[in-house]
Amino acid sequence: MKPVEVSKELTPDAFAALEKTGISRRQFIARSGALIVGFSMAGFTTQLIAQGSAAAQRLDGAGSSRLDSWVAIGGDGSVTVYTGKCELGQGLYTAQKQLIAEELCVPFDRVKLIQCDTALTPDQGTTSGAQSHPTNFNDKNLALAGATAREALLQRASAQLGVPVDHLGVKDGVIRAKADSSKGVTYAELIGGRTFGIPLNPAAKRKHPSEWTVLGKPVPREEIPAMVAGQFEFVHNVRVPGMVHGQVVRPPAVGATLVGVEDTSVRGIPGIVKVVVKKNFVGVVAEKPWQALQAANKLKVTWTLGTGLPPQRDLYEHLRNQKLTRDTFVVNSKDVDEKLSSAARVVKATYHYPYQMHGSVGSSCAVGDVKDGKATIWSATQAVYPLKNSIATVLGLAPENVRVIFRLGAGCYGINGADTVSYDAALLSQAVGKPVRVQLTRKDEMAWENYGFAFVIDQRAGLDDRGTIITWDHESWAPTLGGRPGPNNPGNVITGFLAGFQPAAFTPRAPAPDPTDFSNGSNAAPSYVTGCVGGRCEGTGAVASQRVLTHNVKSLFWTGPLRSPARLQNTFAHESFMDEIAAVAKADPVDYRLRHLRDPRLIEVVKSVAKAAKWETRPSPRPGIRRTGVATGRGVSCVLYEGDNGYCAMVAEVEVNQDTGEITATRFVIASDCGPISNPDGLRNQLEGGALHGLSRTLLEEVKWDEQKVTSTDWSSYPPLFLGANVPKIETVLINWSDGITMGAGETAITVTAAAIANAVFDATGARIRQVPFSRERVKAALAART
């Protein structure tokens, strides 16, 4: 792929050169036909540091109340939009352009989007958690900016034309009198090249979905043609004049610390610029990538022994037996033990979920340029402002002297190595005074990224004599260490920790306090409970007796959000357990769910997916099971993601080879309701991609280790679902709830996949699998354990 020279863009040095001529950044861009409008950061960075890491890791960020921070109209009528939510492969770039084109009534191609650059765009925190769509497409932020700009332009046109606002219409950036089309004025004539100078108007009226002409349409993703042609600038393609290359040397074992480095061991390698050491951080810089890699491999580094790891087979007991825990009641009706003791039948099960990694196909890369007390970082981070502030801490710079520019990298959905490699590049650049590009090796990426959470989940349910659930008891154990870094805890990722910074403190809390509010952000509470706390019931189900107790324990490895963090693990346990209960009650799994649900939209997605899949009403497992050969079955699973952020249901159909233990998913049917649909093709893309990601994590993925270190460091030791693998036929049902709020969709389908597959395997064979991944060995063990 052809590298793109960053020097052709307006870098800080280019702007500085311009300003020496007396032309400001604002004047230069205004004269170029589009006005880039800055926004006040005064006091923000100080406030952010004072608030600590929680503020730095917020999904919404500080934003801006000024319209000019979001939208500008150029002298040629072009529209430039600024967003703090990044394109990560989920189609958000195109959808955000559609949003502004719709609200401003201009053609899609007239909108230019500038995303995630701390020198130019508002602080919208982190692009994560299926929250970007709700954040910018409901009546705030980007959507509100579009509506505010349209109304402001209509007011100006009304004054100029002498026509009341309600007698004006807008099309293609031209405002005309409805009764006399000769009376008209363009956006460029009204404000082109100038600022609005007004705040966002909370009362600005959005266009209703029934009026949409651009939004809601299957507009193709704008970046794909350049990707196909090899012209797209990924972060890996960034080139800066004078750039050199770095590699890092990570510890050989978990917990190992640095004893010494013999920099003379690499003096004979051509192109060496410097060996860099900062506390336990070790790296090398060379003129070329291959020279840096050779030097990193040959550098003699002495480390202490690691702290040791428990045997992998003991992981779940290790989690369960931790003495220091942070305990939380999500909900507690305080009658669960009484209800269980009086139940006609009690059903119990335990579910296990492993550490998993992002496993991005391309290893993480960043470019850092640190000199003269200032830093510019090109990064694939999902959080440019939090990274800006934490890099300032790592480098000892003022936050206002750090600029982070987003460039798309490998797919992530969480914290792969994008943030830590940005630290690597920044530290090495600061040490040599030159721009440094770092691309992690496959081993360094996989052994030290922030893994998705392992889980142990105990479930108990009490049934009455009609098979109805009368109480539900959930208790879980999950480990954490680190996470997305902030200014007070750069040690949340490995490079920050090695450079001498600590991860966010683990603060035990036991016993758990009584809940004061119901929040189901991690889906720890099943969809079938009422979620009653303090007299308010905010759950989606009918079961009033409920206890959900979670234990957070310290992790063996770095952890952080991985697509549907905790939501997937909890939903795997809830939806598998719901099927187990239905089987005990000898009830059809779909009917049994509907019997215990109360949310009409969740009920609708379950009914819709069953209809589309031509669901056969009967209990599971299917009658007449044979114990050899290939068996077929179907399973269902559903969720209201995070309790308020997208409805989804799936029916999975599978084949199980009972002789080999191999599971093949043959068909997925997915129903989704995320409110008004911004781009149906984009939504399908997210549902299909999430389902395949879920298939990979369900059948194949598990981080493995020995007594000292992670051993899953390549694609043979951590095999995902490869291109060319057998994948199921995927059908989607999109429920367009046009009068509702906009919700997320990027993490809904993956959340229901594991349970749908487990339930389909049970339907096919009568064997219940409760531990991910569903390896052939585990499947054969479950088949052998059938009664």
Side-chain angles (χ1 to χ4, degrees):
M1 201 169 285
K2 183 180 179 181
V4 179
E5 291 287 343
V6 173
S7 58
K8 295 177 182 176
E9 298 186 357
L10 291 174
T11 63
D13 286 343
F15 275 126
L18 278 171
E19 287 165 358
K20 288 179 182 177
T21 69
I23 301 175
S24 71
R25 177 187 317 217
R26 182 185 302 272
Q27 290 168 332
F28 175 83
I29 299 173
R31 293 177 191 179
S32 300
L35 176 66
I36 292 184
V37 184
F39 52 95
S40 174
M41 291 292 293
F44 168 65
T45 51
T46 303
Q47 177 187 6
L48 185 62
I49 293 173
Q51 291 175 340
S53 62
Q57 297 173 46
R58 290 181 306 168
L59 297 182
D60 54 350
S64 175
S65 62
R66 306 300 301 174
L67 175 58
D68 294 315
S69 299
W70 304 92
V71 178
I73 308 295
D76 59 355
S78 62
V79 178
T80 304
V81 186
Y82 309 93
T83 178
K85 296 298 186 182
C86 317
E87 172 62 55
L88 305 172
Q90 79 279 47
L92 189 62
Y93 186 92
T94 297
Q96 289 182 110
K97 284 190 60 174
Q98 286 181 261
L99 170 65
I100 289 298
E102 186 63 62
E103 291 298 336
L104 280 178
C105 306
V106 297
F108 175 83
D109 292 339
R110 198 176 295 175
V111 178
K112 176 183 179 182
L113 186 72
I114 296 175
Q115 59 176 344
C116 299
D117 181 335
T118 60
L120 302 174
T121 60
D123 172 17
Q124 291 197 273
T126 304
T127 305
S128 183
Q131 292 288 344
S132 299
H133 204 227
T135 296
N136 271 350
F137 285 71
N138 286 316
D139 297 335
K140 55 184 179 179
N141 295 323
L142 203 58
L144 185 60
T148 300
R150 186 184 70 251
E151 291 195 353
L153 290 164
L154 281 166
Q155 291 286 349
R156 292 187 181 209
S158 175
Q160 183 167 323
L161 299 174
V163 178
V165 168
D166 57 358
H167 289 183
L168 295 172
V170 190
K171 184 177 180 181
D172 293 342
V174 181
I175 301 174
R176 298 185 186 278
K178 295 177 182 178
D180 182 0
S181 61
S182 66
K183 286 188 175 182
V185 62
T186 67
Y187 286 174
E189 291 169 332
L190 288 169
I191 200 172
R194 301 186 299 279
T195 63
F196 284 95
I198 60 174
L200 295 179
N201 177 12
K205 187 178 179 182
R206 293 281 312 285
K207 292 178 70 175
H208 189 271
S210 62
E211 304 174 77
W212 288 353
T213 59
V214 182
L215 203 56
K217 307 304 180 186
V219 176
R221 281 173 53 182
E222 188 171 81
E223 72 278 12
I224 296 298
M227 289 181 175
V228 173
Q231 298 171 338
F232 187 83
E233 185 193 29
F234 290 95
V235 69
H236 303 71
N237 306 121
V238 169
R239 299 292 184 269
V240 178
M243 185 179 78
V244 290
H245 298 266
Q247 278 294 326
V248 294
V249 180
R250 301 295 195 218
V254 172
T257 57
L258 183 65
V259 174
V261 177
E262 297 180 34
D263 56 3
T264 56
S265 60
V266 295
R267 282 184 183 170
I269 296 177
I272 287 295
V273 176
K274 192 172 185 178
V275 174
V276 179
V277 178
K278 181 174 183 177
K279 297 189 182 296
N280 292 303
F281 172 80
V282 181
V284 295
V285 180
E287 294 175 359
K288 298 179 180 180
W290 176 240
Q291 294 167 341
L293 186 60
Q294 284 181 304
N297 290 334
K298 289 187 177 181
L299 185 67
K300 290 184 179 179
V301 185
T302 306
W303 303 86
T304 64
L305 295 175
T307 51
L309 295 168
Q312 181 141 16
R313 64 179 179 276
D314 297 337
L315 169 64
Y316 300 111
E317 286 306 308
H318 171 82
L319 298 179
R320 190 189 291 272
N321 294 328
Q322 292 296 296
K323 302 302 180 186
L324 296 178
T325 63
R326 182 172 178 82
D327 299 346
T328 302
F329 276 120
V330 175
V331 66
N332 184 13
S333 60
K334 298 188 176 181
D335 62 350
V336 169
D337 292 327
E338 176 188 347
K339 293 285 187 180
L340 286 170
S341 64
S342 64
R345 182 158 186 178
V346 175
V347 183
K348 302 178 183 179
T350 296
Y351 302 88
H352 299 115
Y353 204 96
Y355 286 107
Q356 293 179 327
M357 67 176 68
H358 298 80
S360 301
V361 172
S363 60
S364 295
C365 181
V367 175
D369 187 4
V370 185
K371 57 179 178 288
D372 301 327
K374 295 186 178 182
T376 301
I377 311 296
W378 290 265
S379 171
T381 181
Q382 295 179 214
V384 290
Y385 274 92
L387 185 66
K388 164 195 171 87
N389 288 285
S390 63
I391 279 184
T393 301
V394 169
L395 298 179
L397 301 178
E400 58 267 26
N401 290 332
V402 178
R403 179 185 183 187
V404 177
I405 303 170
F406 173 79
R407 288 292 182 267
L408 185 63
C412 181
Y413 290 98
I415 308 177
N416 59 1
D419 286 359
T420 202
V421 78
S422 300
Y423 285 1
D424 293 329
L427 284 168
L428 294 177
S429 176
Q430 186 179 48
V432 300
K434 297 180 178 182
V436 177
R437 176 186 183 271
V438 180
Q439 182 170 357
L440 296 178
T441 65
R442 172 58 49 199
K443 179 179 178 180
D444 287 340
E445 173 95 16
M446 298 178 85
W448 295 104
E449 70 152 79
N450 292 64
Y451 299 134
F453 310 117
F455 259 80
V456 181
I457 299 174
D458 288 343
Q459 304 266 40
R460 293 190 298 170
L463 312 184
D464 65 16
D465 54 7
R466 295 169 296 176
T468 300
I469 302 171
I470 59 172
T471 188
W472 192 303
D473 189 24
H474 165 104
E475 188 171 7
S476 66
W477 293 260
T480 61
L481 175 64
R484 199 171 296 284
N488 289 350
N489 45 34
N492 276 358
V493 293
I494 183 62
T495 303
F497 179 72
L498 294 175
F501 299 92
Q502 293 302 309
F506 177 79
T507 307
R509 182 182 65 197
D514 287 337
T516 57
D517 196 7
F518 178 73
S519 173
N520 203 21
S522 64
N523 289 107
S527 299
Y528 310 100
V529 302
T530 58
C532 296
V533 174
R536 299 192 312 276
C537 299
E538 300 178 29
T540 53
V543 181
S545 175
Q546 57 214 319
R547 179 171 59 200
V548 174
L549 175 61
T550 66
H551 306 283
N552 183 229
V553 302
K554 193 170 182 179
S555 177
L556 302 171
F557 311 110
W558 304 102
T559 61
L562 168 59
R563 198 175 194 179
S564 190
R567 291 85 165 149
L568 187 163
Q569 293 90 329
N570 283 319
T571 301
F572 164 60
H574 294 326
E575 289 299 297
S576 295
F577 192 49
M578 191 61 175
D579 247 51
E580 295 203 49
I581 303 169
V584 169
K586 295 185 174 14
D588 173 76
V590 168
D591 287 349
Y592 197 70
R593 281 169 170 77
L594 297 174
R595 182 168 151 190
H596 292 87
L597 289 174
R598 291 295 178 268
D599 187 300
R601 293 172 74 172
L602 189 53
I603 289 170
E604 179 62 25
V605 294
V606 172
K607 288 182 175 180
S608 295
V609 80
K611 180 180 179 181
K614 296 182 171 52
W615 182 270
E616 178 189 357
T617 302
R618 57 168 174 77
S620 286
R622 66 167 55 251
I625 290 175
R626 295 181 299 170
R627 290 184 170 253
T628 60
V630 176
T632 61
R634 84 289 195 261
V636 66
S637 178
C638 67
V639 74
L640 170 52
Y641 187 76
E642 295 179 335
D644 63 359
N645 193 23
Y647 296 87
C648 190
M650 173 186 283
V651 169
E653 297 178 2
V654 304
E655 294 177 351
V656 183
N657 187 318
Q658 298 179 93
D659 302 321
T660 66
E662 182 179 9
I663 298 171
T664 302
T666 57
R667 183 186 182 212
F668 288 160
V669 183
I670 308 165
S672 168
D673 170 7
C674 61
I677 298 172
S678 300
N679 186 314
D681 279 359
L683 177 55
R684 289 190 182 93
N685 172 273
Q686 287 297 280
L687 297 174
E688 293 170 1
L692 292 178
H693 192 183
L695 177 64
S696 182
R697 290 174 67 179
T698 301
L699 299 186
L700 299 166
E701 298 185 36
E702 180 175 24
V703 173
K704 295 183 178 179
W705 60 90
D706 60 20
E707 65 276 5
Q708 289 289 326
K709 64 188 181 302
V710 169
T711 57
S712 296
T713 57
D714 56 29
W715 298 126
S716 356
S717 51
Y718 191 87
L721 191 71
F722 289 109
L723 291 174
N726 288 328
V727 296
K729 177 183 179 182
I730 302 178
E731 303 163 34
T732 54
V733 179
L734 308 184
I735 301 171
N736 194 5
W737 197 280
S738 60
D739 289 324
I741 62 168
T742 295
M743 295 178 285
E747 302 191 343
T748 55
I750 192 174
T751 304
V752 294
T753 302
I757 293 172
N759 296 336
V761 170
F762 176 75
D763 183 65
T765 67
R768 175 58 61 179
I769 308 175
R770 301 186 181 95
Q771 182 170 339
V772 171
F774 301 165
S775 64
R776 294 186 181 194
E777 294 74 21
R778 288 187 183 128
V779 173
K780 290 174 74 173
L783 292 169
R786 290 177 293 188
T787 56

